[in-house]
């Protein structure tokens, strides 16, 4: 028996125990151990029932993702799973934590399942560009029916133990000790003379329903919602086999479809996104034993949209937070804004009234810096103007206790200069949240030149506590994400001057997989932000760095985006649906004329090259300057903060997939044709010429 799986007997019950930290993933040793243990229990005449239980925080959380892309090793999970189901003695899976993917498939191959009340079960393979490849697409529909199985498999979303019990996925929900619950259930099976109940043999849930119609509807929904995704459609085809083929054929069909997904570029990209999101939280050069300061209380300076969103992040994590505003009226408005924002979640059904009230007890308002004397962490979220920041940080320096973390949410101002407004620059760090702060997962943790290791480690721990994807970055204009999005925005505006329309650019970007088109996003955030940056740059950039003039013309016409009802698109009152702006063509034509540019037809591929390669070139510069510690951190930032499609892996992963030699050659052409902005990053040139990838760094 391998040490990751052990077998012992308790009376007439064989106990198979998995212990493969951190998540009991089904690596080859676990698969081997499961197969051997179930065979040994099957052969032992003293054994009348089998219990499968896991050590650690969770039941099996899936196949070992690290094995994907490597040569398969026997036994395969389907063989292990089919062997468990074929057993002649009743088997019971005891679920706790998260039984996900192959973990739930192993549980489904057991004859019975019980779950601790806080457990969750699910088949998230689609999030990795895969589909359940060990019988999940054949067995889950036999338990919950095709409709619910399609929802769970195509969304990848887990369900609670309670819902799983209601659906029949688990037979019982228990509280308390795992093995005791498992033994009690198994001994009752023995006492009641209950034998195996094989999921694969059930057909009742597949009958009497127009399953073909359900499949067709799901296909149509995917065509509309996720036309570019590879594995969801194959998930549907696999579930279709559950009611069109006998089990053995259906399992075979599932394996074929799984194999197609396994070799897809989208699977490689999504697995890259999964692991690199976790890697990003590891700070190069930070000693493992760096102390982390306590943070049991917080404050936010500024009760605007960002400030309230940030305060809600602390309240959501159970940390009491004070919002400091300049007047009682502004303070009260901020508290009300928090309550109203939570209220919207209650209306949507994603938050209970009780939870709203509990979180509101954690949010209070103050107007005096002296009230912040005891807080462990302060996040400044005031107007993006250095003079205002100076006043705030001088006040914090004068009032906050020694050791308090003094953070700025600034999105582009120089954190090193902000730190100089205090006598404790080593305690100053950037916590750059993304709007809406209580929703967006990305958090850029900005390390100033004087920020101490301890403060950086504490800032990363705060990010994790707030359930953010915390990525450490260095100080530069716009840090990583905004510095890159500026290049992307500028190129998309130039494309309008050269002949494209906002609708065409946005459609091409959405087809590429971006969550939002570039211009729909600009309308949402407001064109005045970009205009302010342009104005600042016109004063500082050398003349050869030309800037588009469309924003200026649109601002003159009062078009600032959704906030004015029109921008790159027009918006009917109360609607956020972008509609073509009839006034825009004249503005674009005038801008083209002024720039001396002959408007021409642009292809979607060209649009993608101009926007994506602008991101990649800037990303290479950021990497070279050490503002990001690894190329994959840039991918994580862009996926989690800017709607870059995870199934493309992130800008740098995408560049590697296209081939840096091709990207570099195109950027050299753009440099020739379009001038200074397109000077290739030296790192990109170097890697391209050496035939290497960003991933090789
Ligand atoms: N394989 C390998 N490593 C894994 C892993 C997995 N399935 N899941 C997590 N890890 C590592 C992770 O990289 C991290 O490592 C550590 O465990 C803690 O993870 C045939 C083919 C289970 C909800 O998709 O959703 O089964 O950074 O930080 O926040 O049909 O991990 O410490 O070195 O995320 O407590 C399907 C993926 C696989 C589940 C725990 N299963 N994992 O969250 O910890 S495909 C999944 C998660 C499959 C079959 C198919 C989460 C979690 P390190 P963590 P967490």
């Amino acid at each position: 028996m391998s040490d990751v799986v052990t077998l012992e007997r308790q009376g007439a019950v064989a106990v198979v125990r998995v212990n493969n930290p951190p998540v009991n993933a089904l690596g080859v040793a676990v698969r081997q151990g499961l197969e051997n243990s179930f065979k040994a229990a099957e052969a032992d005449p003293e054994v009348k029932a089998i219990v499968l239980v896991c050590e650690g925080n969770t039941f099996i959380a899936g196949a070992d993702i690290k094995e994907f892309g490597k040569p398969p090793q026997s036994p395969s999970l389907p063989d292990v799973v089919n062997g468990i189901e074929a057993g002649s003695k009743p088997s019971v899976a005891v679920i706790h934590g998260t039984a996900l993917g192959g973990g739930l498939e192993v549980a489904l191959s057991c004859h019975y399942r019980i779950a601790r009340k806080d457990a969750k079960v699910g088949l998230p393979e689609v999030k990795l560009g895969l589909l359940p490849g060990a019988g999940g697409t054949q067995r889950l529909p036999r338990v919950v029916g095709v409709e619910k199985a399609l929802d769970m498999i195509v969304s990848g979303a887990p369900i609670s133990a309670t819902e799983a019990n209601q659906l029949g996925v688990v037979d019982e929900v228990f509280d308390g000790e795992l093995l005791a619950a498992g033994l009690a259930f198994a001994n009752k099976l023995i006492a009641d003379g209950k034998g195996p109940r094989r999921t694969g043999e059930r057909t009742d849930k597949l009958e009497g329903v127009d399953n073909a119609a359900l499949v067709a509807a799901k296909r149509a929904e995917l065509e509309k919602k996720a036309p570019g995704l590879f594995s969801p459609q194959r998930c549907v085809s696999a579930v279709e086999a559950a009611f069109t083929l006998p089990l053995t054929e259906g399992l075979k069909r599932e394996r074929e479809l799984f194999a197609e997904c396994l070799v897809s570029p989208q699977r490689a990209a999504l697995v890259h996104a999964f692991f690199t999101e976790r890697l990003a939280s590891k700070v190069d050069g930070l000693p493992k034993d760096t102390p982390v300061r306590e943070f049991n209380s917080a404050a936010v300076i500024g009760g605007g949209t960002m400030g309230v969103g940030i305060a809600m992040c602390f309240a959501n994590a159970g940390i009491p937070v004070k919002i400091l505003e300049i007047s009682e009226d502004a303070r009260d408005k901020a508290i009300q804004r928090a309550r109203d924002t939570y209220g919207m979640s209650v209306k949507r059904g994603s938050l209970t009234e009780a939870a709203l009230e509990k979180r509101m007890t954690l949010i209070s308002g103050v107007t005096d810096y002296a009230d912040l004397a005891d807080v462990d962490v302060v996040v400044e979220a005031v107007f993006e103007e250095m003079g205002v920041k100076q006043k705030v940080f001088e006040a914090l320096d004068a009032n906050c206790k020694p050791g308090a973390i003094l953070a700025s949410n600034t999105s582009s101002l120089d954190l090193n200069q902000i730190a100089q407004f205090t006598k404790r620059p080593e305690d100053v760090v950037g916590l750059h949240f993304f709007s809406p702060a209580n929703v967006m997962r990305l958090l850029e943790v900005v390390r100033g030149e004087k920020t101490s290791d301890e403060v950086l480690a504490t800032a990363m721990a705060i990010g994790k506590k707030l359930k953010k994807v915390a990525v450490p970055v260095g100080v530069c204009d716009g840090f990583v994400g905004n510095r890159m999005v500026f290049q992307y925005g500028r190129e998309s505006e130039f494309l309008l001057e050269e002949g494209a329309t906002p609708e065409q650019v946005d459609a091409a970007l959405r087809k590429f997989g971006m969550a939002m088109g570039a211009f729909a996003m600009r309308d949402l955030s407001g064109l005045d932000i970009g205009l302010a940056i342009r104005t600042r740059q016109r004063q500082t950039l050398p003349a050869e760095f030309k800037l588009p003039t469309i924003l200026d013309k649109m601002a003159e016409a009062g078009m600032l985006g959704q906030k004015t009802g029109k921008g790159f698109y027009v918006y009917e009152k109360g609607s956020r649906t972008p509609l073509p702006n009839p006034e825009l063509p004249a503005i674009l034509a005038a801008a083209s004329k002024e720039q001396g540019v002959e408007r021409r037809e642009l292809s979607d591929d060209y649009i993608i090259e101009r926007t994506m390669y602008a991101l990649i070139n800037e990303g290479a510069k950021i990497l070279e300057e050490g503002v990001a510690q690894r190329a994959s951190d840039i991918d994580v930032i862009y996926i989690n903060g800017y709607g870059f499609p995870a199934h493309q892996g992130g800008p740098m992963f995408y560049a590697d997939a296209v081939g840096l030699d091709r990207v570099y050659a195109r950027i050299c052409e753009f440099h020739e044709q379009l001038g200074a902005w397109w000077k290739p990053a030296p790192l990109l040139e170097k890697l391209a010429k050496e035939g290497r990838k960003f991933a090789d760094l």
Side-chain angles (χ1 to χ4, degrees):
M1 225 53 63
S2 61
D3 58 359
V4 290
V5 179
T6 55
L7 174 64
E8 59 176 300
R9 190 143 60 72
Q10 303 239 356
V13 179
V15 177
V16 180
R17 195 190 299 275
V18 178
N19 184 14
N20 185 32
V23 297
N24 290 314
L26 287 154
V28 60
V30 174
R31 299 197 301 271
Q32 193 64 63
L34 284 173
E35 184 171 76
N36 295 343
S37 301
F38 273 85
K39 279 183 178 163
E42 180 70 19
D44 181 343
E46 302 296 309
V47 169
K48 305 289 178 240
I50 302 165
V51 162
L52 171 61
V53 67
C54 293
E55 298 285 336
N57 299 331
T58 178
F59 188 77
I60 299 163
D64 186 338
I65 305 175
K66 295 186 181 70
E67 286 186 357
F68 296 152
K70 292 179 187 159
Q73 291 174 286
S74 295
S76 76
L77 189 56
D79 289 347
V80 172
V81 154
N82 295 339
I84 291 172
E85 182 167 76
S88 67
K89 301 175 181 178
S91 52
V92 185
V94 183
I95 294 168
H96 73 296
T98 48
L100 299 175
L104 178 55
E105 291 173 301
V106 167
L108 284 170
S109 72
C110 291
H111 304 133
Y112 301 88
R113 287 157 294 284
I114 64 174
R116 199 168 63 187
K117 66 177 187 177
D118 57 349
K120 288 187 177 169
V121 302
L123 294 173
E125 288 87 339
V126 71
K127 293 181 182 172
L128 296 170
L130 291 165
L131 54 82
T137 64
Q138 308 304 303
R139 293 191 172 91
L140 186 64
R142 285 174 163 81
V143 177
V144 303
V146 166
E147 186 168 20
K148 185 61 185 171
L150 279 173
D151 282 350
M152 285 181 66
I153 292 168
V154 170
S155 72
I159 58 174
S160 67
T162 308
E163 186 181 358
N165 184 223
Q166 287 158 354
L167 290 168
V169 177
V170 301
D171 301 286
E172 187 183 277
V173 175
F174 68 90
D175 198 359
E177 213 279 309
L178 298 172
L179 183 58
L183 290 172
F185 193 91
N187 283 311
K188 189 159 184 323
L189 289 175
I190 297 169
D192 296 349
K194 292 259 180 77
R197 181 190 64 180
R198 297 187 183 91
T199 306
E201 292 169 358
R202 288 182 60 174
T203 55
D204 55 300
K205 284 286 185 180
L206 299 178
E207 286 152 4
V209 181
D210 186 353
N211 293 318
L214 290 169
V215 160
K218 185 56 82 177
R219 283 216 165 92
E221 180 195 316
L222 285 170
E223 263 317 303
K224 199 157 160 288
K225 269 187 355 186
L229 290 186
F230 187 81
S231 71
Q233 289 288 4
R234 282 153 186 81
C235 287
V236 176
S237 301
V239 170
E240 185 178 34
F243 62 86
T244 54
L245 297 172
L247 180 67
T248 314
E249 292 307 305
L251 289 170
K252 191 162 163 292
R253 180 73 183 123
E254 178 190 79
R255 289 309 292 168
E256 288 161 5
L257 292 161
F258 179 82
E260 285 177 34
C261 293
L262 195 58
V263 297
S264 76
Q266 290 189 10
R267 191 274 306 158
L270 287 162
V271 169
H272 167 81
F274 174 85
F275 280 122
T276 53
E277 181 183 309
R278 287 149 179 84
L279 178 63
S281 61
K282 293 166 174 68
V283 183
D284 285 351
L286 193 63
K288 275 241 176 311
D289 57 352
T290 304
V292 170
R293 291 181 193 163
E294 292 232 321
F295 50 96
N296 301 311
S297 60
V300 176
I301 313 300
T305 311
M306 279 308 279
V308 168
I310 295 167
M312 290 171 69
C313 292
F314 283 102
N316 295 345
I319 297 174
V321 55
K322 297 174 179 175
I323 300 177
L324 182 137
E325 260 293 359
I326 48 174
S327 70
E328 287 178 3
D329 180 47
R331 174 202 66 194
D332 297 344
K333 280 204 176 90
I335 300 295
Q336 189 55 46
R337 182 181 281 130
R339 178 173 290 279
D340 294 346
T341 309
Y342 278 133
M344 285 190 281
S345 301
V346 171
K347 267 207 202 93
R348 279 198 300 270
S350 56
L351 191 72
T352 63
E353 279 289 356
L356 180 156
E357 292 307 331
K358 186 161 181 291
R359 290 177 193 186
M360 285 310 296
T361 62
L362 293 169
I363 299 178
S364 59
V366 295
T367 56
D368 186 341
Y369 280 90
D371 290 328
L372 308 186
D374 60 345
V375 296
D376 296 328
V377 52
V378 184
V379 184
E380 164 271 313
V382 297
F383 189 61
E384 280 291 274
E385 200 281 311
M386 202 50 100
V388 179
K389 308 286 189 192
Q390 178 166 0
K391 287 196 179 66
V392 168
F393 276 83
E394 285 170 350
L396 293 176
D397 197 29
N399 288 281
C400 292
K401 68 183 180 187
I405 304 286
L406 307 182
S408 170
N409 173 58
T410 184
S411 59
S412 62
L413 296 180
D414 182 348
L415 185 81
N416 295 322
Q417 190 179 348
I418 291 172
Q420 292 312 316
F421 299 140
T422 73
K423 296 182 201 60
R424 43 180 137 172
E426 65 284 354
D427 290 342
V428 177
V429 68
L431 289 180
H432 178 213
F433 291 80
F434 286 74
S435 183
N438 55 307
V439 173
M440 294 298 281
R441 297 182 65 217
L442 179 63
L443 178 68
E444 282 182 325
V445 177
V446 189
R447 173 169 213 169
E449 62 197 14
K450 293 204 165 62
T451 304
S452 71
D453 280 357
E454 197 174 302
V455 168
L456 179 62
T458 307
M460 294 300 289
I462 290 168
K464 188 168 173 79
K465 178 73 179 169
L466 300 185
K467 292 199 180 341
K468 296 292 182 185
V469 178
V471 188
V473 297
V475 176
C476 70
D477 187 358
F479 311 128
V480 172
N482 281 349
R483 176 168 159 182
M484 289 171 69
V485 82
F486 173 74
Q487 315 302 326
Y488 168 86
R490 185 202 62 244
E491 283 309 303
S492 50
E493 287 165 49
F494 272 135
L495 290 168
L496 296 190
E497 287 182 359
E498 294 169 29
T501 63
E503 293 83 352
Q504 183 195 3
V505 171
D506 283 2
L509 290 168
R510 275 199 316 278
K511 188 161 162 258
F512 177 81
M514 295 299 288
M516 260 184 115
F519 296 109
M521 187 171 78
R522 303 290 288 276
D523 274 355
L524 178 65
S525 47
L527 275 53
D528 38 352
I529 298 172
L531 202 57
I533 294 175
R534 289 271 183 286
T535 312
R536 196 173 77 205
Q537 289 189 320
R538 279 210 178 82
Q539 288 146 13
T540 54
L541 278 173
E544 69 267 26
F545 288 89
K546 275 191 348 158
L547 288 167
T549 58
I550 285 177
L551 286 185
D552 310 77
K553 295 185 179 332
M554 291 176 71
E556 283 156 24
M559 299 177 190
L560 291 179
Q562 289 193 20
K563 63 176 81 169
T564 57
K566 56 183 171 180
F568 290 104
Y569 299 95
V570 292
Y571 302 85
E572 283 162 2
K573 196 154 180 47
S575 161
R576 290 176 163 248
T577 309
L579 304 170
N581 177 351
E583 296 172 65
L584 202 61
I587 291 178
L588 300 187
S592 306
K593 194 159 177 293
E594 193 179 283
Q595 299 281 1
V597 171
E598 190 63 35
R599 291 186 72 78
R600 69 186 193 282
E601 195 69 27
L602 304 179
S603 72
D604 286 359
D605 288 348
Y606 183 73
I607 287 170
I608 294 303
E609 284 183 326
R610 285 281 296 275
T611 48
M612 294 302 146
Y613 293 6
L615 288 179
I616 294 162
N617 203 34
E618 199 62 26
K621 292 174 192 168
I622 285 167
L623 211 42
E624 212 161 15
E625 294 165 24
V627 174
Q629 50 182 6
R630 45 182 95 87
S632 61
D633 283 10
I634 294 172
D635 290 335
V636 171
I637 284 170
Y638 232 74
I639 288 169
N640 290 282
Y642 295 82
F644 195 95
H647 72 263
Q648 299 273 20
M652 312 311 268
F653 184 92
Y654 173 70
D656 283 345
V658 170
L660 296 193
D661 52 344
R662 277 184 57 196
V663 174
Y664 172 64
R666 277 304 265 159
I667 287 176
C668 290
E669 287 170 26
F670 291 157
H671 187 209
E672 198 63 34
Q673 297 155 6
L674 304 165
W677 286 114
W678 282 99
K679 188 173 183 311
L683 174 63
L684 175 64
E685 178 176 4
K686 181 175 183 305
L687 292 175
K689 288 183 173 165
E690 292 170 358
R692 292 167 66 208
K693 297 176 171 228
F694 286 120
D696 299 331
L697 293 174

